[in-house]
Amino acid sequence: MDCIFCKIANKEIEKKFIYEDDEVMVFPDIHPAKPVHLLVIPKKHVPEFSQVEDPVLFQKLFVIAQNMVKREGLEDKGYRITINGGGAQVVNHLHVHVMGPLTKTAAL
C-alpha cells in the first residue's frame, strides 16, 4: 500500500507524535492552516469517513480530538474539527483535523 499515513503508522517513515497508542496517532499537519493544526489518525487504514465500520474507533478519534483541543488550550480561543471525504482529502486515509485558534469572523 502506498499510503503515507500507513507508512508512518508502520514506522517506515519517522514522525514525532504528539499522542500515540495502539490504534491512533496524532501529529502536526505539514501544511498548517492555523497555528495549531493537528491530525488525529487511526493506524488501521480506513479510506474515508463514510467507510468507518467500527463505532468504537470513531468514538476514540473524537475523544482524542477533544483531548487535543484541551491540550492545546483552544477551548476559549476558537477551534475547528474537520473531516474531509468523498475525494476531498489529500491523503485517502481517514484523518481528523484539529485547527485553531479561530475567531468568529474567521470561522464563517
Side-chain angles (χ1 to χ4, degrees), residues 44-106:
K44 175 183 177 187
H45 186 80
V46 178
E48 69 159 87
F49 171 80
S50 66
Q51 296 178 12
V52 176
E53 296 176 355
D54 181 358
V56 174
L57 175 62
F58 196 70
Q59 179 183 17
K60 185 171 187 175
L61 291 173
F62 277 91
V63 168
I64 293 170
Q66 184 181 50
N67 290 340
M68 292 299 111
V69 166
K70 292 175 185 174
R71 178 190 183 277
E72 297 296 324
L74 296 174
E75 292 174 283
D76 297 326
K77 295 180 182 169
Y79 60 90
R80 180 174 292 140
I81 306 294
T82 306
I83 300 174
N84 297 318
Q89 65 271 44
V90 174
V91 178
N92 291 322
H93 182 126
L94 175 65
H95 54 287
V96 178
H97 296 260
V98 177
M99 296 178 280
L102 294 170
T103 61
K104 287 185 180 184
T105 55

Side-chain angles (χ1 to χ4, degrees), residues 3-13 17 25 43:
C3 172
I4 191 163
F5 291 161
C6 288
K7 288 179 181 180
I8 292 169
N10 293 327
K11 310 292 189 205
E12 296 170 38
I13 296 175
F17 298 111
M25 56 190 175
K43 289 184 175 182

